[in-house]
Amino acid sequence: NDLEHKILSESIIQQDLTNYSYNYSVITYNSEVAGYIAFSNCIDHVDLISVAIRPKFRRIGLAKELINYMEEI
């Protein structure tokens, strides 16, 4: 899997999913998972935890779309 670079371990993600301030979202392109973003909402700011795009989907603006999504929430 192209996204298997272990920036975030599975156990950390599972733990974060129980915390209401953490958000994980995926982006698809042509019905394929192209990448994801992980971030945490705080009272007065948002912390970007991780953003990753599979190599074959890079350089088409998907990371920017994920960042824009994060900023809207």
Side-chain angles (χ1 to χ4, degrees):
N1 186 334
D2 294 332
L3 290 178
E4 200 146 326
H5 183 66
K6 297 291 184 181
I7 295 171
L8 297 173
S9 70
E10 183 178 343
S11 63
I12 289 173
I13 292 171
Q14 288 177 347
Q15 181 181 6
D16 289 349
L17 289 174
T18 64
N19 184 331
Y20 70 92
S21 69
Y22 284 84
N23 295 280
Y24 288 84
S25 297
V26 298
I27 192 165
T28 59
Y29 190 85
N30 292 334
S31 301
E32 288 186 66
V33 173
Y36 76 93
I37 190 167
F39 59 95
S40 173
N41 288 328
C42 299
I43 293 172
D44 60 349
H45 67 281
V46 176
D47 289 327
L48 175 61
I49 298 166
S50 180
V51 62
I53 302 295
R54 292 173 64 189
K56 71 179 187 176
F57 297 111
R58 292 182 183 159
R59 304 223 178 263
I60 57 174
L62 297 179
K64 186 174 184 169
E65 284 187 44
L66 287 170
I67 298 294
N68 289 340
Y69 170 76
M70 178 189 73
E71 291 174 338
E72 291 174 7
I73 294 209

